[in-house]
Structure formats: C-alpha cells, structure tokens
Amino acid sequence: MMRTRPLKVALLGCGVVGSEVARIMTTHAEDLAARIGAPVELAGVAVRRPSKVREGIDSALVTTDATALVKRGDIDVVVEVIGGIEPARTLITTAFEHGASVVSANKALLAQDGAALHAAAEEHGRDLYYEAAVAGAIPLIRPLRESLAGDKVNRVLGIVNGTTNFILDKMDSTGAGYQEALDEATALGYAEADPTADVEGFDAAAKAAILAGIAFHTRVRLDDVYREGMIEVTSADFASARQMGCTIKLLAICERAADGGSVTARVHPAMIPLSHPLSSVRGAYNAVFVESDAAGQLMFYGPGAGGAPTASAVLGDLVAVCRNRLSGATGPGDSAYAQLPVSPMGEVVTRYHISLDVADKPGVLAQVATVFAEHGVSIDTVRQQGKDGEASLVVVTHRASDASLNGVVEALRSLDTVRGVASIMRVEGE
C-alpha cells in the first residue's frame, strides 16, 4: 500500500545535471512514486543565482541559503550536484546531522574525503549513495558494491572521461593533432573552456580512487592515484600504435597485486590492442572492464557524462535511498575491511613502448640492448629506421616495473649515440 505523505527532497545545485534531476522528478512523478511506494516532492532548490529562470521549477522553491535548506527537519533526502570540496562537504555532513540521507555526484569530494563522509553517514544512520560520481549513466558502483560483493575483483580497467576519449578518438580516426582535436571537442561542448581537469587526468584519477576503494575494500584516496595526462600524445604515437595493432586510450587502471597483498591505482595514456573491447569505445563514450575470480570478465558501456545520463544515475540512487527510508533500513556503507596498502607507481609492472632518436651507425642497437639487459628489462621487439646519419629506434619490452624502466631511460640518455627519448608509452590490455 502506497504511503500518501511524500518524501521530501532538497536539491543542491540546478545546473546541467540538477535541472535534469528536477525535470525527471516532475515528469516521472507517478512512476517514481509507484517504484518507491510513496510520492517524492521537490521541497527546495539551492542555487547561487536565484534570478535565473529555471523552466519547470517553482520560483518559491529556490533559495541561496543551502545551509538552511539542509537543516530543515522535514527533508528526507539531499541531492548534491554542486561539485567541488566546499561547501559541498559541510552541506553533506550537515544533512546527515539533521536526519537526511544524501545522493551525490561529487567525484572530487568522494575521492578525497569518502571515508569521513561514510563515517558521518553511519554515525547518523543515513545513506550515502553516489552512482553518478563515476561514469555518468553507466551502472558501475552498485554492481561493484552489491552484485560482485561475493566475488573477488582483481582488476578494473576503464575509459572514464568522455572528453579525453573524444580527443584521442579524433586523433586516431582523422589524423588530427592534439590541439585540433581539442578545439573540436570544445566547439561541440565536450570540453570545458579550461580542460585541465580532463586532459591532465585529474577527473579520471578521482574516479579511479573511488573504483579502487570499492573494488578492493580498501581506502584509496586521490593522492594514492598515479596520474599522467594525455597532452603529449602525438600523431606519431598513433602511427606507432597502429603498427603494433593498437590504439591509444587514457585509461584508469586499478589492480590487485598477483600475491593479493597490495593494490595500485593509476591514470595514464596507454596503447591497447585493437582486439580488446575498450579499443572500440568511440567519441565521448565511457566503458569499464572488470575482471573477477568467479564472474570472469565484465564490461560496462554507455554515456559517461551529460545532464540527462548523469541525472539518470542520480534518480536511480534517489529511488534506492527513498525505499530504504520507508523501510527504516540503510544500504551498503563503506567497506574497507581489507585495508590493503597502495603500492607506488615504481612497483607497477607492465609493457612499454619506447621511441628513441639515435645516431644511424653500427653498434647503436647493441648499446641500447645492453642498457636494457643491465637493468633487467627484457626486449620483445625492436624496429629501426635510418637516413642521413639519423635514425629512430622503437623498442617494445616484455613486462617490467616502472622503476626498472626509469633506470633504463636515465641510462639511455647518457649514451652519446642516443639523441633523445621521443616518447614512452605503456602497453595495457594484454
């Protein structure tokens, strides 16, 4: 039997995502009520610019006093889509203190202070849900946190930023340079006026921290994630990738060590074989590849950003939290029982593609091979081209640690016959 008294929702932020959340709550009100078991009512909307016209939202609901809104004793759920660290952190903890559960899309805050927010939610017996914080509309956090709760996840490998995937896809498919592809992404609205958070990997790193924490039941903070942007990826790198039967993606990679005693989380550009499912993810789409003991290999794919897709994830959480509210229960909280250490990047083992500018004369290859051998790095393939006293040498290694590879590069740069290291890229997905 449906409860007639509505559950009241406070919305913090009414931009691209927030306005879509409000719209769906209004247009799908009957369906949401039927799925939850009670009506849901938008009880207030906190914004910075109250004079802006917001279609479909009663102006009487709009306020600039977000603190007063979350302190109201009649609010059941607070939906936070303002982003950033503050005031979002204080507003969320205040909501818990005053009896409300929280649905958030705030990846930066959760990556930095997720443990403290979960502790606050548990202290006050409230829910903290955040499906929309990673990969937009793609159901990912709940499958990791609930569907795979009885399994052992070993690796999460994914494209979790649509802007960078659009840029790299354009460079691959059209031969465009980085700046040209970025300009197109900006013109189409895929890239912000300041794209730093995307192209330097900050956005993906926050998502990697969240995914690693859930997948491995370990607290992983943003500072634990190795981050490398993609602004130095060139058309020449794509040409080399094609010769290897690969393409290039900016990947978020979260792995459990082979002995199970530690985990790693990293974000960087990587060559990935065309045979791997992630290689075919085009445009601004996202996809995440999960590997576990029992379930095997799973892939989650879809739009990773945008108002309506992200709002879809927010509303899914809202339904779940409201159901919990009616039953007097709470959903899964923070699971960090494993407490595994996060290994530094130097201990990560993978393959490498190294492009060198060298002198075109006898003995160069032998010198280079000796350097690799002295550092315990095994060579898989070598390709050399030369003309007019100059040459390029492309070396692909077997699996080696990042620290060992760094030693190789430092030693190569000391050789008179090596003019420079043109590029270094990891090879993943094999």
Side-chain angles (χ1 to χ4, degrees), residues 220-283:
V220 180
R221 289 171 52 89
L222 182 57
D223 292 344
D224 296 321
V225 182
Y226 172 83
R227 177 194 55 79
E228 185 181 318
M230 39 94 35
I231 61 175
E232 295 184 3
V233 176
T234 66
S235 298
D237 292 326
F238 276 101
S240 293
R242 281 191 288 273
Q243 290 180 326
M244 290 181 59
C246 294
T247 188
I248 298 171
K249 299 291 186 182
L250 184 75
L251 298 178
I253 306 169
C254 311
E255 291 179 306
R256 188 189 299 269
D259 64 3
S262 64
V263 299
T264 59
R266 50 196 164 102
V267 168
H268 54 71
M271 294 183 180
I272 189 166
L274 295 176
S275 58
H276 195 282
L278 290 179
S279 70
S280 61
V281 178
R282 310 300 298 272

Side-chain angles (χ1 to χ4, degrees), residues 137-376:
I138 305 172
L140 185 59
I141 289 178
R142 196 168 294 139
L144 283 173
R145 193 160 67 170
E146 299 178 30
S147 303
L148 295 174
D151 204 345
K152 179 183 177 184
V153 176
N154 296 309
R155 195 178 199 214
V156 179
L157 173 76
I159 298 164
V160 295
N161 183 276
T163 300
T164 54
N165 199 59
F166 179 89
I167 293 169
L168 292 172
D169 183 37
K170 281 295 176 182
M171 292 177 70
D172 187 23
S173 61
T174 69
Y178 166 75
Q179 190 59 51
E180 182 183 352
L182 173 59
D183 290 344
E184 183 173 353
T186 304
L188 292 172
Y190 292 126
E192 301 286 345
D194 179 2
T196 302
D198 295 323
V199 301
E200 292 288 5
F202 291 101
D203 176 85
K207 295 170 181 176
I210 295 170
L211 291 174
I214 296 171
F216 306 133
H217 304 280
T218 291
R219 291 200 174 98
V220 180
R221 289 171 52 89
L222 182 57
D223 292 344
D224 296 321
V225 182
Y226 172 83
R227 177 194 55 79
E228 185 181 318
M230 39 94 35
I231 61 175
E232 295 184 3
V233 176
T234 66
S235 298
D237 292 326
F238 276 101
S240 293
R242 281 191 288 273
Q243 290 180 326
M244 290 181 59
C246 294
T247 188
I248 298 171
K249 299 291 186 182
L250 184 75
L251 298 178
I253 306 169
C254 311
E255 291 179 306
R256 188 189 299 269
D259 64 3
S262 64
V263 299
T264 59
R266 50 196 164 102
V267 168
H268 54 71
M271 294 183 180
I272 189 166
L274 295 176
S275 58
H276 195 282
L278 290 179
S279 70
S280 61
V281 178
R282 310 300 298 272
Y285 276 73
N286 284 192
V288 176
F289 204 71
V290 177
E291 300 174 11
S292 69
D293 277 0
Q297 297 180 332
L298 306 169
M299 182 167 165
F300 301 84
Y301 170 85
T310 305
S312 171
V314 170
L315 267 295
D317 279 352
L318 179 63
V319 169
V321 169
C322 286
R323 286 172 175 169
N324 291 342
R325 190 82 171 187
L326 288 179
S327 65
T330 55
D334 190 21
S335 176
Y337 72 89
Q339 298 182 351
L340 297 173
V342 182
S343 297
M345 187 62 188
E347 297 179 14
V348 169
V349 175
T350 188
R351 297 180 67 203
Y352 289 87
H353 176 283
I354 306 103
S355 180
L356 305 172
D357 295 327
V358 300
D360 186 14
K361 61 182 184 181
V364 173
L365 180 56
Q367 284 185 320
V368 170
T370 298
V371 168
F372 277 84
E374 289 174 345
H375 288 81

Side-chain angles (χ1 to χ4, degrees), residues 22 54 94 103 121 125 132 136 153 196 210 213 245 269 303 309 320 331 377:
R54 294 171 172 84
T94 301
V103 173
V153 176
T196 302
I210 295 170
V377 178

